[in-house]
Every structure is written in C-alpha cells, then in structure tokens.
Amino acid sequence: MNDPKKPVSGDKHIDASDLALIDVTPEQMLKFIKIREGVAHAIANLRRLTPEQIDRAGLNAGDVQRALHIADEHQQLDAMVPAAEKLAEMLIETRASRGHDLAMLLGEIASQARRRGQRDPKGPEILGPLEDLFAYQYGPAQKSAATRAKSSSPAEQNGPSQSTG
C-alpha cells in the first residue's frame, strides 16, 4: 500500500491532514495569479541562496523562507491532485454503477411482484405493501402516457376518419 500522504492515482486513501486546505469562491479563483513554466528554476534559485546572499540582495529572509515553504506545499498538492481527481472520478463512477444496478433490481422486483399479484387471487394483498415501489418504477411511464394523452387532439384519439370518394 502506498503512503496516504503521497498518494498515486487509484489509491482509495488520501491523507491531506498536514496541509492547510482552503475553500474559495469561483470569483476569488478568477483573481488568482497563476504560476508559469519556469517556477521550478526560480524556486531552485531561492534554495541555493546563502544567508549572506539574501542579506546582500536586501531580501527579507522570512519572505524567502515563506516562499520556499509555500513551494513545498504546492509541490505536495501537485502530487495529490491527480490521485484525488481519480478518487473522485472512481467515486462518481461507482455511484453511477450502483445506481444502475439498483434501478435494474428495482425494475425486476417490481415486475416479479406485479406478475405474481396479477395471477394470485389475493393480488391486492401482495401489491398493496409495494405501492411506493410501483409508484417509483411505473410513475414516470404513467405520467408520460397521461401527458401524451392530454396533448393529442380529439381527432387523433378517435382514429383517422375514412372518406369515401
């Protein structure tokens, strides 16, 4: 098993507890300055600076250390995001698959019960407790049929007229 703090795509456990994660609005995201290609060289350049060079250049040593710390966090996030995206994708796909399986089973169960209820002399006793299942399973089709019936014209409902001639 991989280290949850250093996940790879496909891992089911991701531990970002050591990162101070934030939640921002889409409007705030639009205002963020994006880092560009070459940032790794800029960070490597800061890492190579000696305290004397920082002082001689008139840089704030605290700002340099903060930049390096943020760069380390950014690198951690870069490593975690693909694994988190894959995990989210797998969760969404698994939920869709389970929903599909559930819908198929509910349809089969409703069909079985309906067939049994139509054949059995005590059909209402069988079907009654499954009223909500039937409403779920057959409701959309019944609503669609009712809508089609309402929208069709009276001439269409009576069938085509035959003319002689």
Side-chain angles (χ1 to χ4, degrees):
M1 183 173 156
N2 291 318
D3 180 2
K5 292 194 181 284
K6 295 179 178 27
V8 295
S9 188
D11 282 356
K12 293 181 183 175
H13 185 192
I14 296 174
D15 183 359
S17 61
D18 58 337
L19 295 169
L21 301 177
I22 60 170
D23 190 15
V24 297
T25 65
E27 293 80 22
Q28 290 171 310
M29 285 288 289
L30 293 173
K31 296 177 183 176
F32 286 167
I33 299 170
K34 313 292 187 280
I35 58 172
R36 299 182 309 279
E37 194 171 324
V39 69
H41 293 294
I43 297 302
N45 189 192
L46 289 179
R47 287 192 198 285
R48 288 190 302 267
L49 292 177
T50 65
E52 290 175 349
Q53 291 171 323
I54 291 171
D55 190 44
R56 197 173 328 139
L59 303 176
N60 181 321
D63 285 348
V64 171
Q65 286 306 309
R66 185 166 175 254
L68 294 175
H69 175 72
I70 290 172
D72 290 342
E73 278 187 336
H74 194 271
Q75 188 174 9
Q76 260 185 295
L77 291 162
D78 275 347
M80 287 187 143
V81 165
E85 286 174 340
K86 183 63 178 179
L87 178 58
E89 175 187 329
M90 289 173 20
L91 289 168
I92 290 166
E93 290 169 354
T94 301
R95 180 181 62 185
S97 175
R98 294 301 184 269
H100 170 78
D101 294 344
L102 180 59
M104 295 294 289
L105 281 169
L106 290 175
E108 182 58 31
I109 292 167
S111 292
Q112 289 171 6
R114 195 166 155 185
R115 284 191 303 268
R116 180 65 178 257
Q118 290 171 343
R119 288 189 204 118
D120 195 295
K122 294 184 180 180
E125 290 177 22
I126 293 170
L127 300 177
L130 298 170
E131 185 178 333
D132 290 337
L133 172 64
F134 294 138
Y136 170 79
Q137 189 63 32
Y138 302 118
Q142 291 170 344
K143 185 176 179 182
S144 176
T147 301
R148 279 194 308 272
K150 279 184 187 177
S151 66
S152 64
S153 67
E156 291 174 351
Q157 289 177 353
N158 295 332
S161 61
Q162 296 192 0
S163 61
T164 58

